[in-house]
Amino acid sequence: MTGFGGLLSRHRRMAFRHPAAPLFLLLPIAVIAVLFVSYLSAQHASAIPAAGTAQVRWLAACWAAAGLPVVLAFPAAMIALQVFAGDRSAGKRRDFGITLLSKGTQTTAYIGVPVLAALSVALLSYAGIQVAVALWTGVAPLPRAVLFGLGYTMLGALHAGLLSVFVVSLLPGGGAYAVLSSLSALVPGFLSGAFIPIGYLPDPLARIVLGFPASHAVSLARQALTWQAATSVFAGASADLARYRSLFGVDLFWGERAILPLWSLLFPAVTALLFLLLSIPLVLRACRTDRIPRRRKEGSQ
């Protein structure tokens, strides 16, 4: 172990060499693809019956592309956290007690790797999906929309990484981590409103989606990425545009009151910071309790 860089490299190699890692990342993509063909395209067509097929396809593609990178950040973070969960279950972090690595260094690495994994996967998937949508629809997105959409996506990915760290740090053992990691590929897609438009959900489920901070990051990304297509499709029909934005979760509402973009920005940002502050002592405590006691080590000599 050569230091913090070596510890990061160790966690990254151990996490992403797992044979199931690609499956966790491909599953949300497969789900959104199936939903797009069988459900989302039809829902968009019914919401904008006066538009042509190409316009409907353009808007539906922009809508789906806005939510998927944030969803992919969750399984990416959980894949990276298998090292933390595995080390804790097997007691391997006792080995760090005979190295010069401090508890702070270990804690930073355990938190940093899943956050970096979530951000990296979200960034790469965002770039790839935007290129794919532009090639499929034949319409290049506006640079300003791409830039703002990227910022909101990175905010959602940061929240996904820190939420995953906090939840895994609370788990009692490796079995609970295995169950949670298997759910991380699908559940965030529904909770964030990335798979099913919030307007088509029953009111209790819609409120759960509104309480999930990632749904606000997805909504902000949709506001940026669907603006060009929506204004073209609903040209001169402001009432229909407002109905679409409400029904498909582009604009979020609590009851009859619209949630301002500022609040949608602050919600995932503040909760991400909160999860970081809560995770640090939990991970630090785990590193401390797994170290070899000094007296016992000296006595054995």
Side-chain angles (χ1 to χ4, degrees):
M1 199 68 63
T2 59
F4 179 67
L7 196 58
L8 282 178
S9 179
R10 179 242 183 197
H11 293 349
R12 177 184 55 81
R13 290 196 311 270
M14 291 184 64
F16 286 91
R17 73 183 181 186
H18 195 280
L23 177 62
F24 284 120
L25 296 177
L26 291 175
L27 188 56
I29 300 175
V31 170
I32 197 68
V34 171
L35 288 174
F36 187 86
V37 173
S38 62
Y39 178 76
L40 293 174
S41 295
Q43 294 300 326
H44 274 79
S46 63
I48 42 179
T53 302
Q55 287 184 307
V56 171
R57 183 176 64 180
W58 179 23
L59 182 55
C62 292
W63 184 92
L68 185 55
V70 175
V71 174
L72 290 174
F74 284 94
M78 292 301 296
I79 291 170
L81 279 164
Q82 70 174 311
V83 179
F84 173 73
D87 286 355
R88 180 175 57 182
S89 297
K92 290 183 180 180
R93 281 176 293 170
R94 295 178 184 273
D95 299 340
F96 297 148
I98 59 175
T99 71
L100 298 179
L101 294 172
S102 66
K103 295 184 290 292
T105 300
Q106 298 173 44
T107 300
T108 303
Y110 280 127
I111 295 176
V113 168
V115 172
L116 289 175
L119 292 171
S120 299
V121 169
L123 175 62
L124 293 175
S125 61
Y126 180 86
I129 291 170
Q130 292 305 311
V131 171
V133 170
L135 293 176
W136 188 56
T137 61
V139 181
L142 297 174
R144 184 175 184 272
V146 173
L147 183 61
F148 274 86
L150 176 60
Y152 299 138
T153 298
M154 291 297 100
L155 174 61
L158 177 64
H159 170 269
L162 291 173
L163 172 60
S164 300
V165 171
F166 172 68
V167 172
V168 172
S169 66
L170 293 175
L171 297 180
Y177 164 79
V179 173
L180 187 64
S181 61
S182 63
L183 296 175
S184 68
L186 291 180
V187 173
F190 292 100
L191 291 181
S192 63
F195 289 166
I196 305 296
I198 189 172
Y200 291 93
L201 297 174
D203 188 63
L205 293 180
R207 291 185 179 273
I208 293 175
V209 171
L210 289 175
F212 193 56
S215 66
H216 293 259
V218 170
S219 172
L220 292 171
R222 284 178 180 151
Q223 291 177 20
L225 295 173
T226 64
W227 181 86
Q228 183 182 5
T231 52
S232 175
V233 170
F234 293 99
S238 57
D240 292 337
L241 175 59
R243 178 180 178 275
Y244 167 80
R245 290 170 64 94
S246 173
L247 189 62
F248 282 81
V250 179
D251 295 329
L252 298 180
F253 291 81
W254 185 263
E256 299 296 328
R257 180 176 298 179
I259 300 176
L260 297 177
L262 177 61
W263 293 114
S264 290
L265 185 65
L266 288 176
F267 189 26
V270 171
T271 53
L273 178 60
L274 178 62
F275 289 135
L276 173 61
L277 296 177
L278 293 175
S279 298
I280 290 174
L282 292 173
V283 179
L284 189 64
R285 182 180 62 184
C287 294
R288 181 183 300 116
T289 55
D290 280 348
R291 296 197 70 175
I292 300 175
R294 183 177 296 276
R295 290 182 180 177
R296 182 178 177 183
K297 190 167 62 173
E298 292 175 350
S300 63
Q301 294 176 350

